[in-house]
Amino acid sequence: MKERSEHLDTAVVHAGQAPEPTTGAVMPPVFQTSTYAQPWPAKHTGYEYARTQNPTREALERCVAALESAEHGIAFGSGLAATSTVLQTLPAGGRVVAGDDLYGGTFRLFHQVYSKRDVSFSLADLTRMDPADAIPEGTHLVWLESPTNPLLKVADIAAIAARCQAIGAKLAVDNTFATPIFQRPLELGADLVVHSSTKYLNGHSDVVGGIALTSDPELATSLRFLQNAAGAVPGPWDAWLTLRGVKTLAIRMAKHQDNARAVVAWLADHPEVKRLHYPLWESDPGHAVASRQMDGFGGMVSFVLDADLARAERFVSATKVFTLAESLGGVESLLELPAAMTHASVPAEQRRQLGIDDGLVRLSLGIEHPDDLIADLAQAMEASRAG
Ligand SMILES: *Cc1c(COP(=O)(O)O)cnc(C)c1O
């Protein structure tokens, strides 16, 4: 782990970026080039081809690495490209234990792509089970989301990291929901952090990207090699937009969280809300661990509407401030129905077992005024009742 010398709200603005040496440009330029001139064969400036090196991408990698207390950042063209590249570091016959409440695309990547390539996956409720029971010896990699998507369950990262260390497994944490503002898994003992930077890191719903962060020198070397050798790199514009988005990450996360608290307080009193998932209250099963390992509870909330699928579909289609869309973490509030949208690739039986009911609604709170968000949910409740 790398010690951070600045506060996070300073680091989001400055980390990894110095004025450009030729002109003094304050923002790192977009190096929109595929190749670099060489004065002599195999003699170059350190930059030879843009899949291998790009200064804009490197600025983003240094910045997010600093936020996650990591020595190394390796950026990719999407969150799933980052995850896929991590799986490529496994030996043939690799064994992975993953949390059972997973982003749907990660579930699909595990079960429809890599399990056909001699990697085996077992799912376990890492938010409830004793890590010694959930993670057998011989495991190469543990893949964890916390808080989970869409049920906002919380896993004890330090306890799972200790188990991994004892049996020589690597622990990777998908930190997309919490962001380094609220949780830094490497500081809790994880080996690797992965983000879909499409979400909060960029924060403006205009880029698809991913990044892996680590201080483990072997993992870093392997991921850096694969970034070039397998080539799932982001373009320089996307890297630049993400770098610009990260500058406001700290103030955005604070506002996302304020809005989540306001909406949760309203939902908690609503007679048509059957269950509410947000680890804010002492009664929430994840509250104690979240309070210990996180600096905030974030901007994602999910709840079960006391309704059948048809009513739930009417509800999510009736909002005017919230946009019905997949994805999350942008300045605008979004809502979605996991059973029909983000988690449709998870088999129905498994969804039921996990508690992803047909009436489960997931909210990504944006940065609008909370009163407008609550009024919008109230009018959609009313409108959807009619049928
Ligand atoms: C969106 C998301 C991903 C996948 O990222 P892409 O950028 O869409 O490829 C992975 N994990 C979580 C938690 C996500 O929300």
Side-chain angles (χ1 to χ4, degrees), residues 198-264:
T198 312
K199 315 293 169 50
Y200 286 113
L201 289 186
N202 177 59
H204 294 74
S205 306
D206 50 12
V207 169
V208 172
I211 189 163
L213 300 311
T214 186
S215 295
D216 177 323
E218 276 173 41
L219 261 177
T221 302
S222 177
L223 289 169
R224 184 67 74 195
F225 169 78
L226 287 163
Q227 182 192 39
N228 178 52
V233 294
W237 265 107
D238 285 355
W240 187 89
L241 278 167
T242 306
L243 195 58
R244 180 161 101 162
V246 167
K247 286 181 187 282
T248 55
L249 183 65
I251 54 172
R252 280 188 286 111
M253 292 313 294
K255 175 68 171 164
H256 291 307
Q257 167 157 272
D258 286 348
N259 280 349
R261 282 171 182 263
V263 165
V264 155

Side-chain angles (χ1 to χ4, degrees), residues 24-196:
V26 168
M27 268 303 280
V30 183
F31 282 86
Q32 186 74 37
T33 185
S34 61
T35 192
Y36 307 90
Q38 305 188 13
W40 198 258
K43 216 173 147 225
H44 56 76
T45 57
Y47 294 90
E48 43 187 336
Y49 185 64
R51 174 168 23 75
T52 324
Q53 310 101 352
N54 181 284
T56 316
R57 186 176 88 206
E58 288 164 1
L60 174 65
E61 292 174 334
R62 287 191 301 264
C63 179
V64 182
L67 302 181
E68 287 284 8
S69 302
E71 296 280 354
H72 309 278
I74 304 103
F76 295 94
S78 69
L80 284 180
T83 303
S84 179
T85 307
V86 171
L87 296 175
Q88 289 167 20
T89 66
L90 291 169
R95 272 177 273 177
V96 181
V97 172
D100 62 358
D101 190 18
L102 277 183
Y103 174 71
T106 302
F107 181 88
R108 183 178 55 203
L109 180 71
F110 287 177
H111 289 92
Q112 294 188 38
V113 182
Y114 280 90
S115 50
K116 294 185 179 144
R117 282 170 179 63
D118 204 23
V119 178
S120 67
F121 296 90
S122 61
L123 299 184
D125 186 350
L126 297 171
T127 67
R128 300 245 165 88
M129 286 175 76
D130 183 333
D133 297 332
I135 307 164
E137 294 202 22
T139 301
H140 295 95
L141 177 70
V142 173
W143 189 273
L144 187 65
E145 288 180 26
S146 183
T148 66
N149 176 16
L151 296 172
L152 288 311
K153 293 193 292 183
V154 178
D156 186 336
I157 296 174
I160 294 167
R163 170 65 180 168
C164 289
Q165 209 156 32
I167 62 165
K170 299 289 184 197
L171 173 60
V173 178
D174 180 335
N175 204 30
T176 299
F177 270 37
T179 82
I181 301 301
F182 290 144
Q183 172 173 282
R184 291 166 303 283
L186 298 189
E187 294 178 3
L188 299 165
D191 301 288
L192 184 72
V193 166
V194 168
H195 279 273
S196 168

